Amino acid sequence: MAKEADPTLGYLTRKDTEVKLPRPTRVKNKTPAPIQITAEQILREARERQEAEIRPPKQKITDATELSEYRLRKRKEFEDLIRRVRWNISVWIKYAQWEESQKDFNRARSVWERALEVDYRNHTLWLKYAEVEMKNKFINHARNVWDRAVTLLPRVDQLWYKYIHMEEMLGNVAGARQIFERWMNWMPDQQGWLSYIKFELRYNEIERARQIFERFVQCHPKVAAWIRYAKFEMKNGEAARSRNVYERAVEKLADDEEAEQLFVAFAEFEERCKESERARCIYKFALDHIPKGRAEDLYRKFVAFEKQYGDKEGIEDAIVGKRRFQYEDEVRKNPLNYDSWFDYIRLEENVGKKDRIREVYERAISNVPPAEEKRYWQRYIYLWINYALYEELDAEDVERTRDVYRECLKLIPHEKFSFAKLWLLAAQFEIRQLNLKAARQILGNAIGKAPKDKIFKKYIEIELQLGNIDRGRKLYEKYLEWAPENCYAWSKYAELERSLCETERARAIFELAIAQPALDMPELLWKAYIDFEISEGEFERTRELYERLLDRTKHLKVWISYAKFEASAMEEDAKGSDLAEDDLQEHHHEQKKQCIQHARRVFEKAINYYRTSAPELKEERAMLLEEWLNMESSFGELGDISLVQAKLPKKLKKRRQMVSEDGPAGYEEYIDYMFPEETQTTNLKILEAAYKWKKQKISDED
């Protein structure tokens, strides 16, 4: 039990402190009652049944003795209360007000003074004390109270306001002014100064108000204070004085955080004075001096001003300025957002000021990506490219363009990554300037520092266009040293030699290429080599090539290509002979037969390979037979379709079970092929099984 007791609950158990609520009664009959009671009726009944408030009986005083007894009793009560709660100011106030109600002002003053001794910092006491004196028209006493209050609590504005208000109500303007001067020596907030100015203006003392404004802006050198001063001068019709105030304010507060408001007010003042040129100058001066982040309102006002007073060019300048401000804000927030820089540069290029465009380009390219990874540099590099193209095409400054390309290529970390586009643009620029030596130097550096396919291809293309065959060969050699597995490079190199009628060189290149241990696209290289030999009319070499290729791969397309070559090789050879027409036809017929025999031999060899070495590749075998059948049909009379038809398979539609990670997942249909030799073996197996069954049956009977 002691364990269950909780010290936070006064050593009671949780069970002891549980609140047992009455059990909710279940409503069985939910139909509406015949007599309905409204909320209003319930409240009215509650009000009627309420008991009457108990009030103390009224006491009637009939003579002076009773009055003095009553006063003595009340004073004793108040004094006892004060002794108990001396710091409770409300008791003191009630005591003093009671004495006032008895018209005993000396005693009331005594109570107020005793209360002030307890807490003289409580300005409510002073206010109530002074109000009592004023209410009962003890003016000098009230002045005395106010004087002491503002001396002891000079930072409580309410005391000053009440004191001045009293003097003003009494018509003592000079006294009120004197109090204001005493207050101003304490340098109050703006509202205090403005109250003094309004006081002077009520009595039409313009010069005095002006002097107070001068002291005000010295005490509170804020934008709002200067604007009020200028508006005051303008209200009094002193435009020159108002302008002077604005000019002084601009000198002192041009770099202030709220300078935007000052410039807007100054420009609007000039607009009201019909000085649109002055206003335009103020706007432009402000836009040049205020940071872009704090000039939103200024831009909006400037655009509105230009639309009202400016010409077409001025309006466009204002709109451009506004958009410029937006872009400045974007690039300030995120200087690595290159899309914002592109938009900003495009804006400046449309305006067309060279110095400004160059400045924005320089600022943009100074934001180098923080990491040396190509994905971060891909957008950034276009800033340099656009800069170089601008200098070349728009600014037509060749030296600056060259410098841009040079600096950019110096900046890129070529050991980690490079940009072929940039190297090529720099080289093409030098070619346009007819500086071939510099272009070759750039491309040579590119190959040395960061070789890429694109650079090799373009460099070779340039040299071949210029007719420098030896340079082209050297570049191809360099290309193949760098990427010996590149089939495109081998094919193009061989193609170059063939175009120069260097057949042996081309063949040697092809041989070197197919001898490489690794190639990216070997099928293209072999095809190019075979096509080269066919075009040269070297059919024996072509056959050798096909045989060598079949030693490496037995792909279906190789067999079909080989067969098609054999079907057409002799035909092409026959075209070039110089026999008579009849003999030519007979010779052509013989060659055609030989051609068909060679093609059939290739097909037979392919079918044997698929039957013996790769029986699982049924679909490829079926496709090969289809191709053979089509070829026999194309030969016409010389073709023999029956040769192939006997070997064609039957198509069977079968089902197989699909298996997923979770187990069996249903069945799928597929096409299977049944070849003739498979059918015979199946029949033999059936006969053998039937013979065994018959033999078993006879032995069982015996």
Side-chain angles (χ1 to χ4, degrees), residues 510-552:
F510 274 124
E511 285 295 333
L512 270 172
I514 60 173
Q516 293 301 316
L519 292 166
D520 57 359
M521 293 167 74
E523 63 279 4
L524 291 182
L525 188 66
W526 280 95
K527 187 178 182 307
Y529 192 5
I530 289 164
D531 289 347
F532 163 73
E533 293 294 6
I534 291 170
S535 64
E536 292 296 322
E538 297 284 350
F539 297 124
E540 282 305 317
R541 284 180 182 277
T542 309
R543 282 191 191 95
E544 281 176 29
L545 273 177
Y546 269 119
E547 291 297 334
R548 283 163 69 188
L549 180 55
L550 286 168
D551 289 341
R552 294 194 181 197

Side-chain angles (χ1 to χ4, degrees), residues 331-428:
V331 299
R332 180 174 52 80
K333 285 176 185 169
N334 183 7
L336 297 175
N337 182 1
Y338 300 119
D339 289 329
S340 297
W341 284 111
F342 284 122
D343 293 339
Y344 193 3
I345 289 162
R346 200 175 298 118
L347 172 71
E348 294 297 352
E349 283 179 351
N350 289 337
V351 175
K353 290 181 181 176
K354 282 187 185 178
D355 293 339
R356 185 101 189 173
I357 295 165
R358 281 174 178 154
E359 182 205 332
V360 178
Y361 266 122
E362 290 293 338
R363 282 171 59 200
I365 61 177
S366 67
N367 295 299
V368 181
E372 291 186 350
E373 289 182 38
K374 191 165 184 176
R375 61 199 174 100
Y376 295 122
W377 287 64
Q378 280 170 333
R379 286 296 283 158
Y380 170 70
I381 217 69
Y382 277 95
L383 287 170
W384 285 95
I385 291 169
N386 288 357
Y387 190 10
L389 292 173
Y390 167 75
E391 290 292 357
E392 183 186 356
L393 303 174
D394 294 353
E396 297 179 357
D397 192 331
V398 175
E399 280 308 312
R400 278 185 79 94
T401 310
R402 193 170 282 126
D403 290 343
V404 170
Y405 279 124
R406 192 184 301 120
E407 288 301 318
C408 181
L409 291 169
K410 200 187 290 180
L411 183 68
I412 296 167
H414 297 290
E415 311 82 42
K416 295 187 178 178
F417 58 85
S418 188
F419 293 93
K421 180 186 277 291
L422 205 63
W423 290 105
L424 294 174
L425 283 168
Q428 285 164 344

